[in-house]
Amino acid sequence: MNALNMLLSAFPEPISGELIASTLKLSRTAVWKQMQSLQKLGLQIEGKQNSGYRLLSWPDLLLPELIQHYRSGQLGQDVFWHESIPSTNTTAKELARQGAAHGTLVVTEEQTAGRGRRGRAWTSAKSSGIFASLILRPDLPTRRVPMLTLAAGVAVVEALQSIGLSDAWLKWPNDVWVGRRKLAGILSELSGELDQVDFVVIGMGINTHQMELPDELANTATSFYRETGRKPNRAELLARILLELEKVLPLLESTDPAPLLAAWQKHDRLLGKSVNVIETNGSYTGTAVGLSPTGSLRIALADGSERLVLAGDVSLRPLA
Ligand code: ATP
């Protein structure tokens, strides 16, 4: 419990300085100082002699208290907020190695070295998106972690759709797209033995607020704002993602992959499309025909045979 929790739980009513001071075992001056630091972060707080402090509004930050305000469910019970760090996945992995619990979340307003697959960079300008990593300790063999990545994708898309981005879709294996542009990426990293995962870190980079994107992404990326004309409340969106993830995680407990694959397939717009596949040993063209029971992408080739893509790069062929 801290002063911001108390202001939020009283919101929109005021709360007396005396009550905050006695609950938090602080002096009235210490409470006043806390209000000042919250105001510096952009929270609007009205202080009146007889009624106390009233929270009027808060900025769109990913502060733990704000995430907690919107959150329900089990995931995200501990949130570590940073103003700027190299990568939320790196920080989350360190915390996980130190024993952080299942459901711990790391968030930052900015990443200075955000990563995608195979060491590619993820552009993460200040407060322009959601940069978050969730620590999970699932009871899973390592070979099933790709299914967890798929589940995370389903959660992100469902959450985006629930706040109005109805066109968001999943591009295998780890991207959320709108039309022919990328809006979000998911990067799962794991630690464990072959037969049992110790922890998985699910990193999410979601473009929410950008109107302009860096030149190199201008033709390939988009944001929630560009698509809808609205800047979503990032703390609320993140809380929704956690809740959606909580709904799909139980699908992994069963060894039957069908329900999770069905949840994924609902959002799979590669299905039936002509795609280019680039793998380490060459590239080829085919038609995406859905996922295998282990979550690989099935490609139908012109000669009638089928190939499975485990980790290649798949791109939609240009529209004719
Ligand atoms: P691709 O999208 O080319 O298939 P990928 O799925 O492997 O690649 P990721 O590893 O998830 O991609 O993300 C890294 C790539 O995403 C970068 O190489 C860059 O092209 C693109 N990218 C980087 N930052 C952003 C961003 N903020 N929004 C959209 N795309 C980005």
Side-chain angles (χ1 to χ4, degrees), residues 116-118 120-124 171 174-175 177 182-183 185-186 207 210 213 217 221-222 313-314:
R117 289 193 301 164
R118 293 190 264 275
R120 292 167 185 159
W122 187 264
T123 303
S124 316
K171 177 171 168 289
N174 63 340
D175 291 342
W177 282 42
K182 177 145 72 169
L183 181 119
I186 293 165
N207 299 330
Q210 304 96 322
L213 285 146
L217 298 176
T222 190
D313 283 326
V314 178

